């Protein structure tokens, strides 16, 4: 096992040298006490770090990642071209990817970081990572817009999205750093 970890460390290096090809290794169910939706990560790096730590401690994920690393090391292809990612699944039906960021060759530990731009909520909305990324159309059902309102507030913007509707289409734009949203197509 120590040879494997040393080989992994040499393969991974200090920086993520996996390259462009993405290997989606496994899924991880996020505990709702950490986050219920990818929206809970928007503007809040602490939540991303808590999810990353939880993935790191999951024995099943670790086994899947180790098996994948062994296959990559054994193959002559993929060693320099592959980035290992884990899907984090949320209780709202949303998903986001976390990528293998480092391997501690001495302690046999793995670390993950959020793969920017991969958060999608249970309604299929791409979840913004920054205020600028709010400039788009969103579709919400029930009270799912509440998470978007909370995320915008973390960026200092006060937006309103009607809640408890069957469907709400919302167009958001960023004007001088402030997020402005207009809801249309209301079915309440």
């Amino acid at each position: 096992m120590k040879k494997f970890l040393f080989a992994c460390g040499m393969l991974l290096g200090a920086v993520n040298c996996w390259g462009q090809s993405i290997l989606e290794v496994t899924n991880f169910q996020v505990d709702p006490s950490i986050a219920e939706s990818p929206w809970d990560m928007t503007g809040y790096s602490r939540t991303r770090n808590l999810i990353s730590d939880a993935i790191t401690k999951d024995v099943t994920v670790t086994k899947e990642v180790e098996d994948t690393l062994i296959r990559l090391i054994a193959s002559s292809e993929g060693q320099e071209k592959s980035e290992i990612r884990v899907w984090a699944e949320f209780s709202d039906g949303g998903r986001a990817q976390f990528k293998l960021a480092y391997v501690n060759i001495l302690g046999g530990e793995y670390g993950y970081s959020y793969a920017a731009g991969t958060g999608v909520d249970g309604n299929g909305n791409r979840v913004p990572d920054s205020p600028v990324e709010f400039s788009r159309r969103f579709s919400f059902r029930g009270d799912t817009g509440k998470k978007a309102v909370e995320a915008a507030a973390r960026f200092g913007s006060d937006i309103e999205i009607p809640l408890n509707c069957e469907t709400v289409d919302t167009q958001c734009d960023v004007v001088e750093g402030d997020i402005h949203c207009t809801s249309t197509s209301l079915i309440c």
Side-chain angles (χ1 to χ4, degrees), residues 2 27 29-30 41 65 78 89 106 111 117 124-125 127 129 131 136 142 149 168 188:
K2 290 214 183 252
N27 298 335
Q29 189 64 46
V30 177
M41 298 188 307
V65 168
E89 297 179 336
L106 298 176
N125 296 306
V127 177
D129 293 325
R136 68 180 75 175
V149 171
V168 176
C188 294

Side-chain angles (χ1 to χ4, degrees), residues 116-130:
T118 62
V120 178
D121 71 11
N123 292 313
N125 296 306
R126 175 85 42 210
V127 177
D129 293 325
S130 69

Side-chain angles (χ1 to χ4, degrees), residues 67-81:
D67 290 349
T68 301
L69 286 170
I70 289 170
R71 283 193 305 276
L72 284 173
I73 290 169
S75 87
S76 60
E77 303 172 5
Q79 290 185 6
E80 296 176 19
K81 302 179 199 168

Side-chain angles (χ1 to χ4, degrees), residues 126-148:
R126 175 85 42 210
V127 177
D129 293 325
S130 69
V132 174
E133 295 174 22
F134 266 87
S135 288
R136 68 180 75 175
R137 180 172 284 300
F138 299 97
S139 181
F140 301 105
R141 290 186 298 278
D143 66 349
T144 57
K146 180 180 178 191
K147 292 290 185 181

Side-chain angles (χ1 to χ4, degrees), residues 149-170:
V149 171
E150 293 168 356
R154 287 192 289 276
F155 292 124
S157 294
D158 185 23
I159 64 172
E160 290 185 24
I161 297 174
L163 303 178
N164 300 318
C165 294
E166 188 175 318
T167 303
V168 176
D169 286 335
T170 302

